[in-house]
Amino acid sequence: MGIFKTRKNKKFSYSPRYWNDDGEGSPYQMEHKFDKFRSTVGKNANFKDKLNNAWEELRHDSDRKTNKRVLLIFVILLFVFLFLIDFDLSIFTARR
């Protein structure tokens, strides 16, 4: 019935009439924006393979400086948000 299968997009082989092919490929060929940079995009694999590929890419290609910067920005924004809603931070300290 096709309930669990997703339909494939149709592919058309359009070739313009007055176009000179100098070895660079068709200008009308549509490719994914991240195909050149990521190993997980564009392959028709099952869910487990996609997860394993993403995990391996995260482990080997991660940039530690960027991760720390994102974490620092998140913490600063969290404290600004808590300050704006007038959250009482004294609940995290021990009372005697």
Side-chain angles (χ1 to χ4, degrees):
M1 182 94 143
I3 295 174
F4 297 110
K5 291 184 179 179
T6 57
R7 290 182 51 183
K8 302 283 185 201
N9 292 334
K10 294 181 181 178
K11 294 182 180 180
F12 299 99
S13 59
Y14 172 74
S15 60
R17 183 181 291 180
Y18 300 109
W19 176 61
N20 225 353
D21 184 15
D22 295 331
E24 66 232 13
S26 174
Y28 300 103
Q29 181 180 1
M30 296 176 64
E31 62 182 19
H32 201 274
K33 185 165 51 169
F34 299 113
D35 277 348
K36 295 178 246 176
F37 308 109
R38 303 196 82 161
S39 62
T40 56
V41 177
K43 296 178 184 170
N44 292 332
N46 57 13
F47 185 69
K48 183 179 177 183
D49 290 340
K50 287 181 184 179
L51 250 141
N52 287 338
N53 289 340
W55 183 253
E56 288 299 319
E57 185 175 306
L58 178 69
R59 287 182 60 212
H60 294 295
D61 297 337
S62 66
D63 188 11
R64 299 229 184 252
K65 284 178 154 179
T66 307
N67 291 343
K68 287 180 184 178
R69 186 177 301 131
V70 168
L71 182 65
L72 180 70
I73 291 171
F74 175 74
V75 168
I76 290 172
L77 287 176
L78 179 68
F79 280 120
V80 167
F81 173 74
L82 291 176
F83 178 75
L84 287 176
I85 64 170
D86 200 25
F87 186 73
D88 188 17
L89 294 175
S90 65
I91 63 170
F92 297 117
T93 61
R95 295 184 192 181
R96 292 184 184 188

